[in-house]
Coordinates of all heavy atoms in Angstrom, one line a residue:
K9 N 135.2 139.3 112.2 CA 136.6 139.0 112.3 C 137.4 139.9 111.4 O 138.7 139.8 111.4 CB 136.8 137.6 111.9 CG 136.2 136.5 112.8 CD 136.5 135.2 112.3 CE 135.9 134.1 113.2 NZ 136.1 132.7 112.7
N10 N 136.9 140.9 110.8 CA 137.5 141.8 109.9 C 138.4 141.0 108.9 O 139.6 141.3 108.7 CB 138.4 142.8 110.7 CG 137.7 144.0 111.2 OD1 136.4 144.0 111.3 ND2 138.4 145.1 111.5
T11 N 137.7 140.1 108.3 CA 138.5 139.2 107.4 C 137.7 139.0 106.1 O 136.5 138.8 106.1 CB 138.8 137.8 108.0 OG1 139.6 138.0 109.2 CG2 139.6 137.0 107.1
V12 N 138.5 138.9 105.0 CA 138.0 138.7 103.7 C 138.6 137.4 103.2 O 139.9 137.3 103.4 CB 138.1 139.9 102.7 CG1 139.5 140.2 102.5 CG2 137.4 139.5 101.4
Y13 N 137.9 136.6 102.6 CA 138.4 135.3 102.1 C 138.3 135.2 100.6 O 137.4 135.7 100.0 CB 137.7 134.1 102.7 CG 137.6 134.1 104.3 CD1 136.5 134.7 105.0 CD2 138.7 133.6 105.0 CE1 136.6 134.7 106.3 CE2 138.6 133.6 106.4 CZ 137.6 134.1 107.0 OH 137.5 134.1 108.4
L14 N 139.1 134.4 100.1 CA 139.0 133.9 98.6 C 139.2 132.4 98.5 O 140.3 131.9 98.8 CB 140.0 134.6 97.8 CG 139.9 134.3 96.3 CD1 138.6 134.9 95.7 CD2 141.1 134.9 95.5
Q15 N 138.0 131.8 98.4 CA 138.1 130.3 98.2 C 138.4 130.0 96.8 O 137.6 130.5 95.9 CB 136.8 129.6 98.6 CG 136.7 128.1 98.4 CD 137.7 127.4 99.3 OE1 137.7 127.7 100.5 NE2 138.4 126.4 98.8
M16 N 139.5 129.3 96.5 CA 139.9 129.0 95.1 C 139.8 127.5 94.9 O 140.5 126.7 95.5 CB 141.2 129.5 94.8 CG 141.4 131.1 95.1 SD 143.0 131.7 94.6 CE 144.1 130.8 95.8
N17 N 139.0 127.1 94.0 CA 138.8 125.6 93.6 C 139.2 125.5 92.1 O 139.2 126.4 91.4 CB 137.4 125.2 93.9 CG 137.0 125.3 95.3 OD1 137.7 125.1 96.3 ND2 135.6 125.7 95.5
G18 N 139.5 124.2 91.9 CA 139.9 124.0 90.5 C 141.0 124.8 89.9 O 140.9 125.3 88.9
L19 N 142.1 125.0 90.8 CA 143.2 125.8 90.4 C 143.9 125.4 89.2 O 144.1 124.1 88.9 CB 144.1 126.0 91.6 CG 143.7 126.9 92.8 CD1 144.4 126.6 93.9 CD2 143.7 128.3 92.3
K20 N 144.3 126.3 88.4 CA 145.0 126.1 87.1 C 146.4 126.7 87.2 O 146.6 127.6 88.0 CB 144.2 126.6 85.9 CG 142.9 126.1 85.8 CD 142.1 126.8 84.7 CE 140.6 126.4 84.6 NZ 139.9 127.1 83.6
P21 N 147.4 126.2 86.4 CA 148.7 126.9 86.4 C 148.6 128.3 86.1 O 149.4 129.0 86.7 CB 149.4 126.1 85.3 CG 148.8 124.8 85.3 CD 147.3 125.0 85.6
E22 N 147.7 128.8 85.3 CA 147.6 130.2 85.0 C 147.1 131.0 86.2 O 147.0 132.3 86.1 CB 146.7 130.4 83.8 CG 145.3 129.8 83.8 CD 145.3 128.4 83.1 OE1 146.3 127.6 83.3 OE2 144.4 128.2 82.4
D23 N 146.7 130.4 87.3 CA 146.3 131.1 88.5 C 147.5 131.5 89.3 O 147.4 132.2 90.3 CB 145.4 130.2 89.3 CG 144.0 130.1 88.6 OD1 143.4 131.0 88.0 OD2 143.5 128.9 88.8
T24 N 148.7 131.0 88.9 CA 149.9 131.3 89.7 C 150.1 132.8 89.7 O 150.2 133.4 88.6 CB 151.1 130.6 89.1 OG1 150.9 129.2 89.2 CG2 152.3 131.0 89.8
A25 N 150.2 133.4 90.8 CA 150.4 134.9 90.9 C 150.6 135.1 92.4 O 150.4 134.3 93.3 CB 149.2 135.6 90.4
V26 N 151.0 136.4 92.6 CA 150.9 136.9 94.0 C 149.5 137.5 94.1 O 149.1 138.3 93.3 CB 152.0 138.0 94.2 CG1 151.8 138.6 95.7 CG2 153.4 137.4 94.2
Y27 N 148.8 137.1 95.2 CA 147.4 137.6 95.4 C 147.5 138.7 96.5 O 148.0 138.5 97.6 CB 146.6 136.4 95.8 CG 146.2 135.6 94.6 CD1 147.1 134.7 94.1 CD2 144.9 135.6 94.2 CE1 146.8 133.9 93.0 CE2 144.5 134.7 93.1 CZ 145.5 134.0 92.5 OH 145.2 133.2 91.4
Y28 N 146.8 139.7 96.2 CA 146.7 140.9 97.1 C 145.4 141.2 97.5 O 144.4 141.1 96.7 CB 147.2 142.1 96.4 CG 148.7 142.1 95.9 CD1 149.0 141.6 94.7 CD2 149.7 142.5 96.8 CE1 150.4 141.5 94.3 CE2 151.0 142.4 96.4 CZ 151.3 141.9 95.1 OH 152.7 141.9 94.7
C29 N 145.2 141.5 98.8 CA 143.9 142.0 99.4 C 143.9 143.4 99.3 O 144.8 144.1 99.5 CB 143.8 141.4 100.8 SG 142.4 142.0 101.8
R30 N 142.7 144.0 99.0 CA 142.5 145.4 99.0 C 141.2 145.8 99.7 O 140.2 145.1 99.5 CB 142.4 145.9 97.5 CG 142.2 147.4 97.4 CD 141.8 147.7 95.9 NE 141.6 149.2 95.8 CZ 141.0 149.7 94.7 NH1 140.5 149.0 93.8 NH2 141.0 151.1 94.7
V31 N 141.2 146.8 100.6 CA 140.1 147.3 101.2 C 140.1 148.8 100.9 O 141.1 149.5 101.1 CB 140.2 147.1 102.8 CG1 139.0 147.7 103.5 CG2 140.2 145.5 103.0
W32 N 139.0 149.3 100.5 CA 138.9 150.7 100.1 C 137.5 151.3 100.3 O 136.4 150.5 100.4 CB 139.3 150.9 98.7 CG 138.3 150.5 97.6 CD1 137.5 151.3 96.8 CD2 138.2 149.1 97.0 NE1 136.8 150.5 95.9 CE2 137.2 149.2 96.0 CE3 138.8 147.9 97.3 CZ2 136.7 148.0 95.3 CZ3 138.4 146.7 96.7 CH2 137.4 146.8 95.6
Y33 N 137.4 152.6 100.5 CA 136.2 153.3 100.6 C 136.4 154.6 99.9 O 136.9 155.5 100.6 CB 135.8 153.4 102.1 CG 134.5 154.0 102.5 CD1 133.4 153.5 101.8 CD2 134.3 154.8 103.5 CE1 132.1 154.0 102.1 CE2 133.1 155.3 103.9 CZ 132.0 154.9 103.1 OH 130.7 155.4 103.5
G34 N 135.9 154.8 98.8 CA 136.2 155.8 97.9 C 135.8 157.2 98.5 O 136.4 158.2 98.2
T35 N 134.7 157.2 99.2 CA 134.1 158.5 99.8 C 135.2 159.3 100.5 O 135.2 160.5 100.5 CB 132.8 158.3 100.5 OG1 131.9 157.6 99.7 CG2 132.3 159.6 101.0
Y36 N 136.0 158.5 101.3 CA 137.0 159.2 102.2 C 138.4 158.9 101.6 O 139.3 159.1 102.4 CB 136.8 158.5 103.6 CG 135.5 158.9 104.2 CD1 134.5 157.9 104.2 CD2 135.3 160.2 104.7 CE1 133.2 158.3 104.8 CE2 134.1 160.6 105.2 CZ 133.0 159.6 105.3 OH 131.8 160.0 105.8

């Protein structure tokens, strides 16, 4: 599905943020 997930449990106020996905391949 060309999809990456982040399951977040037990969230805390300090987890508040903008979350960014990154896909990289350093060789190229």
